[in-house]
Structure formats: structure tokens, C-alpha cells
Amino acid sequence: MTVAWGPLLAAYVVLVGLPTGLTLMTWWVGRSGASVRLERIGAWGALVALVAISVLLVADLGRPERFHLMLVRFDNLASPISWGAKLIALKILLLLLVVHAVERRRPPDRPLPRLTKVVAVLLLAVSFALALYPAALLARSWASPLAGGAGVLFVLTALLMGAAVVVLLGGEGRTALLGLLAASAVALAVEALALAGRPGDRLLLAELTTGGSAPLFWGVAVGAGLLLPAAGLLTLPRNRVVTALCAVAVLAGAAATRYLLFAVGS
């Protein structure tokens, strides 16, 4: 399977879901009383991951010395890449503010200041925009025909990645993870039905389900990423080893799904 975009952008599309989902799911778990440790690791983890992913994006541009123009110029707002660079830069800034507040909080369990909570709300909004961003970026090109109507799947896979990391960190995210697995299964089924109903898209569906992409789709995205984790979490919900293995499988499945949305048909 050849990919017109290149490996760096493929890695970016797959991995950008991790810091996005981690921010959103840390907040969600925090609504029911997340630990200070989880809040701290979530903020630092999202920041480090986003900085690393930004390096991939800069390297893929081919002219990294001109990347700063993406951030300071506003005469190219029709470009989705320009929007993406600005969203990433804004999220990094907001994460720095949150990390600063978390590290300076004394005592450690004291509630964060109201201003920091405002920053957190802005961070959630930017994170949700970044969850949708790959669909907007890839829909502008013929090279990723599946991505155009896959905004929901991009959001769900980002949330799955975040929920899996929260579970691996010891957070109480099992119920949320199960709900996201069910929602993702429904979204995949609806997307398949939509493709089957459009004559021009049936070839894409065939490549995904019976063609060269079928092993990755059925084996990793569906089998390892949805069915096995759901079965493990339902049958052995209190087993920590099984839960951790399920979370790792969810990460692999979500990454495979994002890659397939990027690569099938290219």
C-alpha cells in the first residue's frame, strides 16, 4: 500500500490523537475526582507528546526554518496546515500555563486558581479542535478519500488513546473506555454502511475489508483494538494485568484506525 503523503505526516496524523485525547480524558476523569498525580502526569504527558509531534510536523514541511511564518502570518488562513500549526502552538502555550500552575500549587491538593480553570476550558476547546483537525486537513486532498467524512472517528480514536493512557496510569477510566469502544464500533459500522451505499466508495470499502488493508483493519483495528479489549474489560474488570493489556491493545487499534483513514485509497 503506497501513501502519497509520506511517513512523517502519517506519523503525525496517528500520534496527534494521543495528547489530544489525554487532555480531554484527564479532564473527564477529573470531574469525578481524579488524583493530583493523574492531573500532573496528564498535563506533562500531553505537553511532551505535543512538542515531539510538532517536531515531526516541522520536519515534514521541508523548510523548517520558515515554520515560524505559520504562526505569525494571518494572510493564509485558507490553509488547513496554517490552522493546525496555530492550534498546536496555542495548545502548547496553554499546557505550559497549566503545568506551571500545577507545579506551583501548594499544598498539592489545593484547588487550582479560577484563572487556571479558565485556561483549562480554553485548553479543552483547542484539544477538541485538534481532534477534528486531521479530518479537515486530509479532506482537502484526493490522497486520503476516507478522511473526508471521518471527523467522528478521528475524535473517537483520540478519546480512546487518551482513555487507554489514563487507565495505564491507574485512573478510573474503565467505564469510559468501554463506552468509547462501543461508540467506535457503531461509528465504524455506520461509516462502512455509508461507503457501501455510494458506488464510488465501494472500492475503498473493498480495499479496507477484503483487500490489502484487511489484515490491519480486521486484525488490529477491529480485533485487537475493539473486540478483545471489550471482552477483557467485561469478563475480568478487576484484573490489573488484563486491564493494562486491554489498554495497550486499544492504543494499537486506535492508531491503526487513524492510519487506515489516512492511507486507504492513497
Side-chain angles (χ1 to χ4, degrees):
M1 179 167 46
T2 60
V3 180
W5 287 93
L8 287 180
L9 190 58
Y12 165 75
V13 168
V14 171
L15 296 176
V16 75
L18 181 58
T20 299
L22 183 56
T23 298
L24 294 170
M25 291 308 302
T26 301
W27 168 80
W28 180 260
V29 173
R31 294 169 68 250
S32 57
S35 67
V36 173
R37 171 181 170 273
L38 179 60
E39 185 180 58
R40 184 169 182 253
I41 293 178
W44 272 108
L47 177 61
V48 171
L50 197 61
V51 170
I53 290 166
S54 300
V55 173
L56 291 177
L57 184 60
V58 173
D60 189 64
L61 291 175
R63 298 287 299 275
E65 73 279 2
R66 296 172 61 87
F67 181 75
H68 70 282
L69 297 177
M70 290 278 192
L71 306 180
V72 301
R73 289 181 56 177
F74 292 88
D75 57 349
N76 59 344
L77 293 182
S79 167
I81 295 179
S82 173
W83 274 104
K86 290 174 174 62
L87 285 172
I88 289 173
L90 179 57
K91 180 166 181 176
I92 289 175
L93 174 61
L94 293 171
L95 281 170
L96 286 171
L97 294 174
V98 171
V99 165
H100 177 73
V102 168
E103 293 297 333
R104 286 178 58 87
R105 180 171 53 187
R106 296 292 184 275
D109 58 349
R110 186 181 69 181
L112 291 173
R114 181 174 299 178
L115 180 59
T116 304
K117 292 182 179 179
V118 173
V119 171
V121 171
L122 293 174
L123 182 59
L124 291 173
V126 174
S127 296
F128 188 74
L130 278 173
L132 285 170
Y133 169 70
L137 171 66
L138 299 176
R140 298 287 294 268
S141 170
W142 57 268
S144 297
L146 275 183
V152 172
L153 283 171
F154 275 112
V155 172
L156 285 171
T157 50
L159 292 175
L160 280 171
M161 288 176 141
V165 173
V166 167
V167 168
L168 287 171
L169 292 174
E172 293 298 323
R174 295 180 186 86
T175 302
L177 190 55
L178 275 170
L180 288 169
L181 287 170
S184 298
V186 171
L188 277 174
V190 170
E191 180 68 14
L193 288 173
L195 291 173
R198 296 191 294 262
D201 291 335
R202 287 173 189 161
L203 289 177
L204 293 175
L205 183 60
E207 181 181 342
L208 189 66
T209 57
T210 60
S213 300
L216 186 60
F217 176 70
W218 292 114
V220 183
V222 176
L226 294 178
L227 300 180
L228 287 180
L233 292 172
L234 287 172
T235 57
L236 296 169
R238 301 300 177 187
N239 188 304
R240 293 184 178 181
V241 174
V242 171
T243 299
L245 291 175
C246 288
V248 172
V250 167
L251 280 171
T257 300
R258 293 175 75 88
Y259 176 76
L260 288 168
L261 291 172
F262 167 83
V264 169
S266 63

